[in-house]
Amino acid sequence: EGLSHAGLRAAGLRLGPGPVSLPCTVERVIDNVFSEIVLLRTPGPGLLRMECDKNTPLPTVGASVTVHAAPEDFLLLTNTEGPL
């Protein structure tokens, strides 16, 4: 009751199909100090951020990929303040 948003940590996304999957397009790959950041364009509005360790083979910009997350990795958020 009152669910308004869902949150997911960048490290919770994984490449490949899984229990909760989403097709995406790789928008950008960023080399970070301790990890790699992949920005993914979703079928709807907005981008997803996926964080991978340096040893993970990454897709190239423009590639079509499927990402997944385990159901327990989602944070279900409620709005108790009224309309946003």
Side-chain angles (χ1 to χ4, degrees), residues 13 20-27 39-49 63-68:
L13 278 176
V20 181
S21 298
L22 183 66
C24 296
T25 302
V26 177
E27 186 79 14
L39 296 180
L40 301 162
R41 172 113 7 237
T42 65
L47 294 172
L48 289 177
R49 181 178 186 255
S64 294
V65 297
T66 298
V67 295
H68 74 274

